[in-house]
Amino acid sequence: MSQADFVVVANRLPVDRDDDGGWRRSPGGLVTALEPVMRKTEGAWVGWPGKPGLELEPFDFEGTHLVPVVLSADEVQNYYEGFSNDTIWPLYHDVIAAPRYRRVWWDAYVDVNRRFAEASAAAAAEGATVWVQDYQLQLVPALLRKLRPDLTIGYFHHIPFPAYGLFSQLPWRRQVLEGLMGADVVGFQRVADAGNFARAVRRLFHYTTKASGISVPLEDGGNRNVLAKAFPISIDTESYIEMAQRPEIQARAKEIREGLGNPKAVLLGVDRLDYTKGIRHRLKAFGELLEDGQLTVEDATLVQVASPSRERVEAYIQLRDEIELTVGRINGDFDTMDHTAIRYLHQAFPREEMVALYLAADVMLVTALRDGMNLVAKEYVASRIDNRGVLLLSEFAGAADELGSAIRINPHDIGGMKDAIMRATEMPGSEQGRRMRALRRRVLDHDVTDWSRSFLDALAAAKR
């Protein structure tokens, strides 16, 4: 294939391997968001195929040219599990868990980012637009600019960007900022994240930062403008509405409630099993409400879906043990023969089952201690075509900036969370309707297509 005018660079390719060795499209939100753009532009996607040591030639899949980047088992361990997920992830999520700074991880991160940049440079046509995705590839923009100054480069940061007091811990902080400043547009989930990035640049490099962008000096004495701005990501709203309207999914929602013993209120948490999600805080609040007698198992059941995540990282192994111990203790204390306090599901479910769960749930609990966005909150809202249900939303999730009609909570305030849960379970239908209509308006107006269009428009403006 000839080189592409539009190239996406992400840690993973947008496909998963079938059992029979074929390929299927990944279910992720980013893949859904970019699919229309990739089809229209006949673009290329650079990424890791998901298995260590898997060497593949570039291939075409459903109108997209896929360019695999090979990673060895050591690189997966050091670049991905190590630096990306044991250094950057905890550091950028307010040090909820302690980040580890290991030079061997950093060296692997540099090497892998260089390979991604080289693969992207080879895949891009003259004057192409390249869009780099997320924290695993923070060095790629500058490396790519050095290789291909003719390109227009965007970078989107899907997770939070920390305040300087935390970011300054990183031994390689200057290199990371230099990497990101290789982009023409650096996108963040929240205005506060873009502000944190600009302040870090000002503190370390003393560059001029304004709302219009960061002025980066060039070797020839001129300046290059880097726009750092919030572009809150969203979901494919229409697909959730379509699923919520299907009679078989509505019937499944009724079946779920019946299987739980038809309690007055079904509370729902849906998360990756991650220490940033506030699952422990949620369980504590719910357990105390049962202890206090404010809720009974006949009245309320908490369904907690915790999909497996980074199962080889020590902090995640400990978290799973702790959560399962807590669930077991609460259920042991409060279950009856007919009713369970917490239905805990350590597994991932297809989207149709998730929509049925959203329709079955009276209260959605999003209690993240820190979250770039939290698309589950938006999925719940999009699915509630009946304009019912209550969203409890942590103020530390990016979605809180947009979903102002949710009940906002501070997940560290267990007493406040208990009050909010009681308020939600007792909320009259008229108030539920008023809040949900406002939430749905926001999610419908700002879907994932709107997100990708607004970012690409900013990139196009940078190109002019």
Side-chain angles (χ1 to χ4, degrees):
M1 168 188 162
S2 59
Q3 293 169 312
D5 290 322
F6 180 66
V7 179
V8 169
V9 192
N11 178 58
R12 285 291 303 271
L13 287 174
V15 291
D16 294 320
R17 206 80 192 255
D18 273 333
D19 293 338
D20 58 8
W23 297 96
R24 65 175 183 275
R25 187 167 290 282
S26 303
L30 180 66
V31 178
T32 309
L34 297 180
E35 185 184 6
V37 191
M38 301 305 282
R39 281 181 189 277
K40 196 165 67 187
T41 57
E42 294 189 328
W45 189 303
V46 177
W48 174 48
K51 286 198 176 148
L54 185 58
E55 295 199 35
L56 297 166
E57 287 300 310
F59 62 100
D60 291 327
F61 180 86
E62 292 184 1
T64 301
H65 187 63
L66 303 184
V67 181
V69 175
V70 184
L71 297 182
S72 68
D74 279 352
E75 285 169 335
V76 172
Q77 196 174 354
N78 292 327
Y79 141 80
Y80 182 68
E81 291 175 0
F83 194 79
S84 296
N85 291 325
D86 217 352
T87 302
I88 292 293
W89 180 269
L91 177 65
Y92 284 26
H93 285 86
D94 290 358
V95 192
I96 294 164
R100 293 198 292 163
Y101 305 112
R102 296 190 57 196
R103 285 168 291 179
V104 66
W105 291 353
W106 167 252
D107 292 342
Y109 187 81
V110 173
D111 288 345
V112 171
N113 271 245
R114 187 175 293 113
R115 285 222 304 286
F116 269 86
E118 287 164 357
S120 309
E126 184 70 25
T129 296
V130 179
W131 193 0
V132 183
Q133 305 289 334
D134 220 4
Y135 65 103
Q136 301 95 344
L137 303 173
Q138 292 174 101
L139 308 182
V140 168
L143 293 166
L144 189 54
R145 184 164 295 282
K146 203 167 273 184
L147 293 167
R148 292 286 305 275
D150 58 296
L151 300 175
T152 302
I153 303 167
Y155 170 90
F156 187 75
H157 194 75
H158 292 255
I159 68 172
F161 195 90
Y164 184 73
L166 293 176
F167 181 73
S168 61
Q169 288 185 22
L170 186 66
W172 308 280
R173 58 198 185 183
R174 290 182 73 91
Q175 293 97 311
V176 166
L177 291 180
E178 282 169 346
L180 294 172
M181 284 188 290
D184 297 291
V185 178
V186 185
F188 297 93
Q189 301 281 24
R190 307 182 87 163
V191 172
D193 295 325
N196 286 343
F197 171 70
R199 275 188 290 278
V201 169
R202 209 161 51 234
R203 290 282 295 271
L204 282 171
F205 293 93
H206 308 293
Y207 294 166
T208 304
T209 61
K210 296 179 183 162
S212 57
I214 297 163
S215 185
V216 178
L218 298 170
E219 286 175 6
D220 63 7
N223 287 291
R224 192 172 66 77
N225 195 60
V226 176
L227 178 65
K229 189 181 164 190
F231 297 89
I233 199 169
S234 195
I235 59 167
D236 178 17
T237 318
E238 284 304 320
S239 71
Y240 283 90
I241 293 169
E242 183 274 319
M243 282 187 276
Q245 289 169 336
R246 287 191 214 161
E248 70 273 18
I249 289 180
Q250 293 179 3
R252 176 66 186 134
K254 283 199 181 76
E255 209 176 84
I256 288 168
R257 288 191 75 99
E258 281 163 16
L260 295 168
N262 276 321
K264 289 178 192 164
V266 174
L267 286 67
L268 176 64
V270 175
D271 311 88
R272 272 191 320 102
L273 187 64
D274 193 290
Y275 49 74
T276 63
K277 302 297 184 183
I279 301 171
R280 286 177 288 204
H281 300 62
R282 183 183 314 162
L283 295 176
K284 185 171 177 57
F286 184 69
E288 285 190 14
L289 286 169
L290 292 172
E291 272 172 40
D292 302 344
Q294 290 180 266
L295 290 176
T296 68
V297 285
E298 290 79 18
D299 289 337
T301 295
L302 170 60
V303 178
Q304 177 60 58
V305 178
S307 56
S309 171
R310 299 173 192 153
E311 293 181 287
R312 298 200 312 187
V313 178
E314 186 58 37
Y316 290 78
I317 296 166
Q318 287 175 2
L319 176 68
R320 181 180 176 183
D321 289 347
E322 196 178 322
I323 285 171
E324 291 179 358
L325 206 64
T326 304
V327 169
R329 196 187 69 244
I330 292 170
N331 284 347
D333 287 346
F334 298 104
D335 279 8
T336 65
M337 288 297 182
D338 301 315
H339 296 276
T340 288
I342 301 168
R343 183 67 61 85
Y344 173 75
L345 303 158
H346 179 61
Q347 52 198 277
F349 292 97
R351 284 206 305 172
E352 288 80 0
E353 184 75 353
M354 292 314 305
V355 171
L357 268 171
Y358 294 147
L359 291 173
D362 303 286
V363 182
M364 184 81 218
L365 298 171
V366 177
T367 60
L369 307 179
R370 194 78 166 90
D371 218 336
M373 176 51 61
N374 194 287
L375 294 178
V376 162
K378 294 186 176 185
E379 290 170 6
Y380 179 70
V381 168
S383 301
R384 293 312 300 230
I385 55 175
D386 58 352
N387 289 317
R388 286 293 179 271
V390 185
L391 174 63
L392 256 64
L393 181 57
S394 165
E395 63 191 75
F396 305 117
D401 289 358
E402 297 178 86
L403 303 181
S405 297
I407 295 181
R408 298 220 356 195
I409 54 165
N410 171 0
H412 299 283
D413 175 7
I414 302 297
M417 203 194 309
K418 287 164 65 178
D419 292 343
I421 290 171
M422 291 310 299
R423 184 179 162 199
T425 56
E426 293 164 358
M427 187 179 287
S430 56
E431 187 183 346
Q432 288 183 35
R434 193 175 70 249
R435 286 172 176 273
M436 190 54 75
R437 275 189 289 274
L439 291 169
R440 285 177 58 74
R441 253 195 317 275
R442 174 71 200 186
V443 172
L444 287 166
D445 290 348
H446 298 278
D447 65 0
V448 75
T449 311
D450 177 67
W451 167 75
S452 59
R453 186 173 49 238
S454 63
F455 190 96
L456 293 171
D457 285 351
L459 260 186
K463 201 170 196 164
R464 289 198 283 273

